[in-house]
C-alpha cells in the first residue's frame, strides 16, 4: 500500500474534535431533546462516557497489533470472515455518516440561505469540494482542521455567549427529564454519537507518534464533549422542552435569535460561513475514513482511484431519503443508535477473541 | 500535466464561485420590497385581514419625504388584503406591488385584539415556519385593529418606518412600562406550563387622533390652550397607570405602546397598565430601570420621584406543603431621589428612611395587587413562578402531574420590598420659599 503522509498529534486532535462536534450544527440538539427531554445534555454526558470506554477497548485491540490500524487489527484478531464483517460495519458507519451529513447540511443551506438553488446543485458543490480535499490526502484535511480549530472554538463560545440574554436556565428542570434510568439507557444506546472517534483507529498508521493516540482520543472526546454539552444546554435554555423538539435546524435558528440591541443583530450569516467550512471538513474526514477502510479491506495501494465512484455513490445515496425528516431519522435513530454496536461492541468482541486465541496458543505451548 | 491541473483548479473555483454565491436565486436589492410591519386582524367568515407596511426606499432616503418625517404614507406603502392564509395573501400582494416582497427586515408583527382573544397559534405557527420571518420580530397586540395601528402610526422623529417601529418598542422597554415581547418569547411562554405570556399593548390615542382630524378639516392649527382647558383624559392615581391609547397626552405620534396584553396559552385574556407591568417586572426580576413616583409623606399633594434599579437579584423561595404552594419574594431595590416637590432636608437620614418606607409600601402594595389580579382575574402565572416550581420535580412526568396552571391561583404568594436610597440627586436640600429667614 502506498504510504500516506503522516500527520502530527495536534492535527489528529483537531480533526477528531471537528469530526465529533460538527453535528452540533445540524439537528443534533433536537434529537438529544427527543432522547432526554429537559435533560438532553445529560444524555450527551452519558453517551460520551460510554464512547470513552468504547475507545479504550479499540485502543486495547490496536495495542495488541502495534503495526496495524483498526481494520487490519480486526482482520488479524477475528480472522478473514469476522474481520471483514467488522470492517464492513466500520465502513457502513462512516459512509452513512458522510452521505447523511451531505444531505442534512445541503438541506440546511437550501432552507435557510439558498432557497431558490436546487438541492442537487448544493449537494454537488459540497461533494466536489470535499472529495477534492480527500484527493489531496489526510494531511491536507487535518491541516485545514488545525487551522480552522480556533474558528469553530470561537464560533461556539461566541454563539453560546450571545444567546445568554435569550436563555432561561430554570427551564432545564426537571433535571432528569424522562427519569435517570431511562436517561442512562438512552445515553448508552446512543454512544454512536461519538462513534467518529474510531477515525483515530483507522488512521493509526498515519499518525506521527502512534503511542500518543490514546491521549489524543481522550483529549478529543473531552473537548468535543464539553462543547456539545454546553451548546446543548444553551439550546435547551433557549428552546425549552417541548419547543426544543420543533426546531429543524437548531444551530441556524439559535444564531438568528441573537439580538443585543439595534446594532448587534442579524449576524447569523457570519456563523453560517464558519459552519459551512466545518461541514466541509467533517464530510472530507468521514469520506476519507470510509475510502481508507475500503482501501484496507481490499489491500489497495491507493484510495484515490476509488474517489470518483464514491462521489457518485455518495450523491446518489444522499438523495435516497425522500425528505429531510427521514434523513434525520435515519441518521440519529439508526446510524447513531446502532453505530455504537459496530464501532465499540465489535472491537470488544474481537478483543475477547484475540485474547482467547492468545490464551489457547499459550496453553498449546 | 501542470496545465491540466491548473485548468481543473480554475474550473473548480469558478464552479464554486458561481454556485455558492447564490446566483441561482439572484435577486438585486432594488428588486425587493421590504416589509417592516405585518398586521393581522380577524375577518368575517373565518377569514383574515393582512396589512403590510412596505418601506418606500426613495422616500426613506430623503427624496420624497423632504426630511420632515412624520408621514407614514410617504415613507411606506400600506396595503390590506383579506383571505385565508398569510402566505397566500403575500403571494397575492405581489400582483399589485411591483417588487418581490421580502420579510427579512420585518420588525413587528401586530395582531388585532379580537384575533388575539381567539388564539394566535395558527398564525404564529404559519409565520415562524417561513424562513424569511425572524423570531426576534417584536410582537404587539393592538387595541382595536392592527390596520388602524399601522395606518395611524405617524412617526415624527424618524423617517425610516423600520427604525421607528424598533425604536418605539425599545424605548418603551427601557422604562419598564411594556414587556419584552418577541415572537420567540411568545412561542416559548405559550407552550410552557410554568409561565404565561405578556405582550406589548398598543393603542391609538383618540384625543390626539381627533385633533389631527380637526387640523386637516379646518386646515389650521388648533390652539393648544384650548386642548389643555377642555381637559385631557382624566388622570389616574399614578402617572403610569394607563393602558395604550388612554394616556392624557397630546402632540407627537398618536400611537402609543403602554401596558401589556395578558395571555393564557395563546389566547388574550386581559390587559394590564404600564404601572402594573412594572410590578410584574419587579416580581420576575426583569426590571432594568425606571422612575417611580410616590406622594411625599411630609407634604400632601406633593410628589417625589425616585430612580430605582435592582440592588440584588430578586429572591424567590417556593415551597410545597402537600398540594399547597407558598411563594415568598424579596425584591431589593436601590437608587436615588431624582425629583421632589417637597421642601425637606434630605441630609437628615430619618427623612430618607421615611421615604424609603413609603416607597417600599407602595411598591409592595402594587406587587401584591397585581399578584391577586393574576390569581383571581386572569388565572395566569405571568410572573413565571412556575419555572421555579419545576425544581420541585425530578422528571417531566412529575412536572406534568404537578399541573402548575391549576395550582397557581391557589398558591400563597407574599412579596416584600426593601429599598435603599443612596443618592439625593443634585440637591441635598430642596429650595425653600423662606430660605433667607430659615437657613442663613
Amino acid at each position: 500500500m502506498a504510504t500516506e503522509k503522516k500527520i502530527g498529534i495536534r492535527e489528529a486532535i483537531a480533526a477528531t474534535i471537528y469530526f465529533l462536534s460538527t453535528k452540533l450544527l445540524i439537528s443534533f440538539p433536537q434529537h438529544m431533546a427527543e432522547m432526554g427531554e429537559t435533560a438532553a445534555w445529560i444524555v450527551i454526558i452519558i453517551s460520551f462516557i460510554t464512547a470513552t470506554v468504547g475507545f479504550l477497548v479499540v485502543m486495547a485491540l490496536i495495542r495488541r497489533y502495534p503495526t496495524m490500524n483498526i481494520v487490519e487489527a480486526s482482520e488479524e484478531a477475528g480472522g478473514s470472515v469476522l474481520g471483514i464483517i467488522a470492517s464492513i460495519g466500520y465502513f457502513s458507519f462512516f459512509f452513512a455518516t458522510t452521505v447523511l451529513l451531505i444531505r442534512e447540511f445541503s438541506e440546511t443551506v437550501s432552507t435557510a440561505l439558498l432557497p431558490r438553488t436546487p438541492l442537487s446543485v448544493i449537494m454537488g458543490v459540497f461533494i466536489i469540494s470535499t472529495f477534492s480535499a480527500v484527493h489531496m490526502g489526510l494531511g491536507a484535511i487535518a491541516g485545514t482542521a488545525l487551522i480552522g480549530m480556533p474558528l469553530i472554538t470561537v464560533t461556539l463560545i461566541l454563539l453560546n455567549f450571545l444567546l445568554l440574554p435569550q436563555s432561561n436556565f430554570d427551564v432545564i428542570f426537571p433535571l432528569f427529564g424522562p427519569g435517570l434510568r431511562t436517561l442512562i439507557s438512552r445515553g448508552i444506546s446512543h454512544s454512536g454519537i461519538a462513534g467518529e472517534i474510531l477515525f483515530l483507529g483507522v488512521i493509526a498508521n498515519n499518525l506521527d507518534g502512534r503511542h500518543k493516540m490514546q491521549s489524543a482520543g481522550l483529549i478529543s472526546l473531552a473537548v468535543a464533549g464539553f462543547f456539545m454539552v454546553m451548546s446543548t444546554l444553551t439550546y435547551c435554555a433557549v428552546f425549552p422542552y417541548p419547543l426544543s423538539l420543533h426546531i429543524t435546524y437548531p444551530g441556524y435558528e439559535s444564531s438568528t435569535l441573537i439580538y443585543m440591541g439595534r446594532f448587534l443583530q442579524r449576524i447569523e450569516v457570519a456563523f453560517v460561513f464558519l459552519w459551512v467550512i466545518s461541514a466541509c471538513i467533517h464530510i472530507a474526514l468521514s469520506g476519507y475514513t470510509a475510502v481508507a477502510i475500503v482501501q484496507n479491506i481490499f489491500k489497495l495501494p491507493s484510495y484515490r482511484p476509488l474517489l470518483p465512484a464514491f462521489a457518485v455513490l455518495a450523491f446518489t445515496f444522499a438523495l435516497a431519503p425522500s425528505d429531510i425528516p427521514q434523513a434525520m431519522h435515519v441518521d440519529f435513530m439508526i446510524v447513531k443508535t446502532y453505530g455504537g454496536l459496530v464501532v465499540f461492541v465489535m472491537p470488544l468482541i474481537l478483543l475477547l477473541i484475540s485474547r482467547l486465541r492468545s490464551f489457547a496458543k499459550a496453553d498449546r505451548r | 500535466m501542470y496545465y491540466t491541473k491548473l485548468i481543473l483548479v480554475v474550473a473548480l473555483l469558478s464552479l464554486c464561485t458561481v454556485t455558492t454565491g447564490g446566483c441561482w436565486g439572484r435577486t438585486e436589492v432594488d428588486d425587493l420590497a421590504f416589509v417592516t410591519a405585518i398586521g393581522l386582524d380577524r375577518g368575517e367568515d373565518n377569514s383574515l385581514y393582512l396589512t403590510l407596511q412596505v418601506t418606500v426606499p426613495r422616500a426613506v432616503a430623503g427624496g420624497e419625504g423632504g426630511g420632515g418625517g412624520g408621514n407614514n404614507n410617504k415613507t411606506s406603502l400600506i396595503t390590506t388584503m383579506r383571505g385565508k392564509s398569510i402566505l397566500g395573501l403575500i403571494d397575492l400582494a405581489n400582483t399589485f406591488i411591483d417588487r418581490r416582497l421580502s420579510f427579512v427586515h420585518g420588525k413587528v408583527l401586530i395582531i388585532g385584539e379580537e384575533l388575539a382573544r381567539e388564539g394566535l397559534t395558527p398564525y404564529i405557527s404559519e409565520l415562524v415556519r417561513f424562513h424569511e420571518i425572524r423570531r426576534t420580530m417584536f410582537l404587539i397586540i393592538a387595541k382595536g385593529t392592527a390596520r388602524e395601528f399601522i395606518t395611524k402610526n405617524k412617526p415624527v422623529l424618524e423617517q425610516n418606518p423600520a427604525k421607528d417601529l424598533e425604536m418605539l418598542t425599545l424605548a418603551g422597554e427601557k422604562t419598564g412600562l411594556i414587556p419584552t415581547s418577541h415572537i420567540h418569547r411568545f412561542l416559548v411562554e405559550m407552550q410552557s406550563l410554568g409561565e404565561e405570556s405578556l405582550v406589548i399593548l398598543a393603542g391609538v390615542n383618540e384625543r390626539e387622533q381627533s385633533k389631527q382630524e380637526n387640523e386637516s378639516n379646518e386646515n389650521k392649527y388648533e390652539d393648544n390652550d384650548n386642548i389643555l382647558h377642555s381637559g385631557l383624559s382624566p388622570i389616574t392615581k399614578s402617572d403610569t397607570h394607563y393602558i395604550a391609547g388612554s394616556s392624557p397626552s397630546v402632540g407627537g405620534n398618536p400611537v402609543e405602546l403602554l401596558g401589556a396584553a395578558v395571555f393564557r396559552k395563546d389566547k388574550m385574556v386581559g390587559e394590564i397598565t404600564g404601572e402594573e407591568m412594572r410590578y410584574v417586572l419587579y416580581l420576575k426580576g426583569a426590571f432594568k430601570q425606571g422612575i417611580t413616583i410616590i406622594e411625599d409623606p411630609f407634604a400632601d399633594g406633593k410628589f417625589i420621584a425616585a430612580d430605582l434599579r435592582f440592588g440584588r437579584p430578586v429572591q424567590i423561595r417556593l415551597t410545597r406543603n402537600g398540594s399547597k404552594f407558598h411563594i415568598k419574594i424579596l425584591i431589593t431595590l436601590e437608587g436615588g431621589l431624582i425629583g421632589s416637590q417637597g421642601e425637606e432636608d434630605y441630609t437628615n437620614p430619618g427623612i430618607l428612611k421615611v421615604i424609603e418606607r413609603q416607597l417600599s409600601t407602595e411598591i409592595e402594595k402594587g406587587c401584591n395587587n397585581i399578584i391577586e389580579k393574576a390569581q383571581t382575574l386572569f388565572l395566569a402565572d405571568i410572573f413565571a413562578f412556575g419555572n421555579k416550581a419545576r425544581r420541585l420535580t425530578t422528571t417531566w412526568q412529575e412536572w406534568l402531574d404537578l399541573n402548575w396552571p391549576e395550582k397557581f391561583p391557589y398558591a400563597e404568594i407574599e412579596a416584600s420590598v426593601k429599598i435603599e436610597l443612596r443618592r439625593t440627586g443634585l440637591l441635598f436640600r430642596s429650595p425653600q420659599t423662606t430660605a433667607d429667614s430659615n437657613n442663613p
Side-chain angles (χ1 to χ4, degrees):
Chain A
M1 275 186 274
T3 48
E4 183 76 20
K5 192 187 161 193
K6 291 199 182 255
I7 61 166
I9 286 297
R10 284 191 310 161
E11 280 100 330
I13 292 174
T16 315
I17 292 172
Y18 257 104
F19 216 163
L20 288 169
S21 51
T22 306
K23 59 179 86 66
L24 264 179
L25 311 177
I26 46 173
S27 56
F28 174 78
Q30 185 256 336
H31 285 282
M32 289 302 103
E34 243 172 78
M35 294 295 109
E37 298 173 359
T38 49
W41 57 285
I42 298 180
V43 176
I44 301 173
I45 294 177
I46 296 167
S47 295
F48 265 69
I49 291 172
T50 314
T52 305
V53 175
F55 175 66
L56 292 175
V57 169
V58 172
M59 287 310 302
L61 178 63
I62 288 181
R63 258 201 302 270
R64 293 181 70 81
Y65 308 99
T67 57
M68 296 180 187
N69 61 28
I70 186 69
V71 181
E72 294 159 340
S74 299
E75 207 174 320
E76 193 65 29
S80 54
V81 177
L82 200 56
I84 294 281
I85 291 172
S87 300
I88 290 172
Y90 306 150
F91 166 75
S92 308
F93 177 79
F94 284 103
F95 187 65
T97 302
T98 314
V99 162
L100 292 165
L101 196 75
I102 289 171
R103 176 65 185 265
E104 287 172 55
F105 235 97
S106 303
E107 291 277 7
T108 310
V109 171
S110 173
T111 308
L113 300 166
L114 304 171
R116 284 155 211 271
T117 308
L119 183 68
S120 53
V121 173
I122 299 171
M123 275 173 45
V125 171
F126 264 124
I127 289 173
I128 291 168
S129 51
T130 52
F131 276 78
S132 305
V134 175
H135 188 269
M136 293 171 86
L138 179 63
I141 308 170
T144 312
L146 184 64
I147 294 167
M149 195 75 261
L151 278 180
I152 189 157
T153 313
V154 171
T155 305
L156 287 176
I157 292 172
L158 205 63
L159 181 64
N160 288 323
F161 176 74
L162 292 174
L163 281 171
L164 281 179
Q166 306 282 358
S167 310
N168 176 6
F169 287 94
D170 280 337
V171 298
I172 64 166
F173 294 92
L175 201 59
F176 297 124
L180 198 53
R181 197 175 294 176
T182 315
L183 274 182
I184 292 172
S185 83
R186 288 181 183 170
I188 291 172
S189 65
H190 279 74
S191 58
I193 61 171
E196 291 95 340
I197 193 70
L198 191 72
F199 159 73
L200 282 175
V202 177
I203 62 157
N205 290 338
N206 303 105
L207 277 178
D208 190 11
R210 185 183 157 116
H211 58 285
K212 290 182 187 162
M213 188 164 60
Q214 182 165 316
S215 41
L218 294 177
I219 291 170
S220 306
L221 281 167
V223 174
F226 172 76
F227 278 118
M228 291 174 85
V229 169
M230 293 313 291
S231 300
T232 308
L233 192 60
T234 309
Y235 174 71
C236 291
V238 174
F239 298 95
Y241 183 81
L243 180 61
S244 54
L245 301 178
H246 305 173
I247 310 297
T248 317
Y249 308 111
Y252 173 76
E253 197 75 68
S254 303
S255 66
T256 62
L257 284 179
I258 294 170
Y259 188 93
M260 310 277 273
R262 283 193 58 236
F263 293 101
L264 192 61
Q265 55 172 307
R266 298 164 190 270
I267 55 171
E268 66 273 14
V269 177
F271 289 107
V272 169
F273 172 68
L274 299 172
W275 291 342
V276 170
I277 295 174
S278 306
C280 285
I281 293 174
H282 187 132
I283 295 168
L285 283 168
S286 52
Y288 173 83
T289 315
V291 288
I293 292 169
V294 175
Q295 179 200 2
N296 278 289
I297 293 173
F298 294 105
K299 299 187 174 41
L300 300 173
S302 170
Y303 64 82
R304 288 186 176 86
L306 300 172
L307 285 178
F310 265 86
V312 173
L313 275 177
F315 185 83
T316 313
F317 279 104
L319 283 172
S322 60
D323 46 51
I324 185 65
Q326 195 184 63
M328 288 174 174
H329 179 82
V330 172
D331 192 1
F332 286 93
M333 297 304 157
I334 298 173
V335 178
K336 297 293 186 285
T337 307
Y338 302 109
L341 290 176
V342 175
V343 297
F344 299 132
V345 177
M346 194 57 115
L348 178 65
I349 295 167
L350 293 168
L351 179 66
L352 292 175
I353 291 171
S354 166
R355 289 217 160 176
L356 285 174
R357 278 186 181 168
S358 301
F359 290 141
K361 240 183 220 174
D363 282 352
R364 273 204 297 274
R365 274 184 205 144
Chain B
M1 187 63 192
Y2 173 78
Y3 287 108
T4 319
K5 265 191 176 176
L6 188 70
I7 289 166
L8 271 173
V9 169
V10 170
L12 192 65
L13 286 176
S14 310
L15 184 70
C16 288
T17 319
V18 170
T19 48
T20 54
C23 286
W24 220 281
R26 182 187 65 87
T27 312
E28 300 296 337
V29 176
D30 60 3
D31 289 343
L32 298 173
F34 292 105
V35 176
T36 50
I38 304 170
L40 298 178
D41 287 302
R42 187 180 180 276
E44 303 77 19
D45 306 325
N46 198 27
S47 67
L48 180 81
Y49 283 109
L50 172 73
T51 304
L52 300 174
Q53 180 177 17
V54 185
T55 303
V56 178
R58 199 172 42 164
V60 170
E64 293 284 308
N71 195 339
N72 220 7
N73 297 333
K74 282 185 180 173
T75 54
S76 45
L77 177 160
I78 296 170
T79 177
T80 301
M81 293 155 284
R82 185 179 160 215
K84 298 280 183 195
S85 108
I86 302 168
L87 297 180
L89 290 172
I90 287 169
D91 248 5
L92 180 70
N94 268 125
T95 59
F96 57 89
I97 294 175
D98 47 4
R99 294 181 177 195
R100 188 173 72 78
L101 288 176
S102 167
F103 293 80
V104 294
H105 287 285
K107 295 289 181 190
V108 293
L109 170 63
I110 304 147
I111 315 266
E113 187 178 344
E114 205 179 335
L115 192 66
R117 288 187 184 274
E118 277 186 3
L120 298 184
T121 305
Y123 314 106
I124 298 275
S125 180
E126 184 180 2
L127 283 172
V128 292
R129 196 180 285 270
F130 184 45
H131 72 278
E132 285 191 10
I133 298 291
R134 303 179 71 84
R135 285 162 180 257
T136 49
M137 274 177 85
F138 290 98
L139 181 62
I140 293 176
I141 302 299
K143 286 193 69 64
T145 64
R147 176 176 164 76
E148 187 189 18
F149 175 86
I150 294 171
T151 50
K152 298 274 166 61
N153 180 22
K154 309 280 183 210
V156 179
L157 301 177
E158 277 306 331
Q159 193 145 308
N160 180 343
K163 191 176 171 191
D164 160 63
L165 291 165
E166 194 169 14
M167 297 289 279
L168 202 60
T169 42
L170 290 176
E173 275 180 21
K174 276 180 191 156
T175 60
L177 298 174
I178 59 172
T180 302
S181 158
H182 295 281
I183 291 179
H184 174 67
R185 278 249 53 86
F186 181 77
L187 273 171
V188 168
E189 289 160 0
M190 185 187 87
Q191 294 176 77
S192 170
L193 288 173
E195 58 186 322
E196 300 290 358
S197 286
L198 285 171
V199 177
I200 299 170
L201 194 63
V204 180
N205 194 318
E206 295 298 336
R207 180 166 295 276
E208 175 64 15
Q209 194 190 330
S210 59
K211 178 186 160 243
Q212 284 180 353
E213 277 162 12
N214 285 343
E215 276 174 16
S216 58
N217 290 343
E218 297 166 19
N219 201 21
K220 64 177 184 184
Y221 286 101
E222 192 175 334
D223 184 355
N224 274 336
D225 285 346
N226 288 343
I227 294 171
L228 297 181
H229 291 147
S230 63
L232 300 171
S233 305
I235 61 167
T236 59
K237 57 175 184 173
S238 138
D239 285 345
T240 51
H241 195 66
Y242 301 100
I243 55 168
S246 67
S247 75
S249 59
V250 290
N253 195 341
V255 304
E256 55 189 26
L257 308 182
L258 184 58
V262 179
F263 278 75
R264 202 161 54 231
K265 299 292 145 239
D266 71 328
K267 291 185 176 65
M268 181 179 165
V269 291
E271 49 198 37
I272 59 174
T273 65
E275 187 188 26
E276 288 170 328
M277 184 62 234
R278 194 176 279 178
Y279 293 132
V280 174
L281 293 177
Y282 285 139
L283 290 161
K284 284 181 98 168
F287 174 70
K288 284 170 190 152
Q289 195 178 354
I291 297 167
T292 305
I293 308 289
I294 53 159
E295 193 163 1
D296 190 333
F298 300 100
D300 285 345
K302 299 278 197 297
F303 292 87
I304 290 173
D307 186 14
L308 298 175
R309 63 187 75 181
F310 282 124
R312 59 170 61 180
V314 172
Q315 293 170 311
I316 301 173
R317 279 196 58 192
L318 191 145
T319 52
R320 183 181 189 175
N321 186 6
S323 63
K324 196 84 183 157
F325 289 84
H326 303 271
I327 306 170
K328 279 194 170 181
I329 307 127
L330 175 63
I331 300 163
T332 311
L333 298 163
E334 64 172 33
L337 283 184
I338 56 164
S340 169
Q341 295 174 351
E343 297 184 346
E344 289 76 38
D345 176 0
Y346 296 112
T347 52
N348 179 350
I351 290 181
L352 268 188
K353 283 283 162 227
V354 173
I355 293 170
E356 283 171 1
R357 263 203 306 277
Q358 175 88 350
L359 269 167
S360 307
T361 311
E362 289 281 328
I363 294 177
E364 215 168 271
K365 201 171 123 196
C367 287
N368 286 316
N369 284 346
I370 188 66
I371 289 171
E372 194 189 333
K373 204 168 171 181
Q375 285 187 300
T376 55
L377 187 64
F378 305 135
L379 307 173
D381 179 6
I382 50 179
F383 316 100
F385 293 143
N387 283 339
K388 304 290 175 195
R390 284 166 170 261
R391 291 167 194 259
L392 300 176
T393 59
T394 53
T395 66
W396 183 254
Q397 192 53 49
E398 272 179 45
W399 168 237
L400 292 179
D401 295 341
L402 190 147
N403 198 1
W404 177 251
E406 291 285 308
K407 301 286 190 310
F408 170 72
Y410 305 104
E412 277 177 17
I413 307 173
E414 188 190 328
S416 51
V417 179
K418 215 169 114 187
I419 293 181
E420 294 273 357
L421 291 176
R422 302 198 186 279
R423 287 160 289 276
T424 58
L426 297 178
L427 297 175
F428 275 133
R429 296 170 187 172
S430 303
Q432 313 265 318
T433 45
T434 53
D436 289 346
S437 57
N438 292 339
N439 296 305

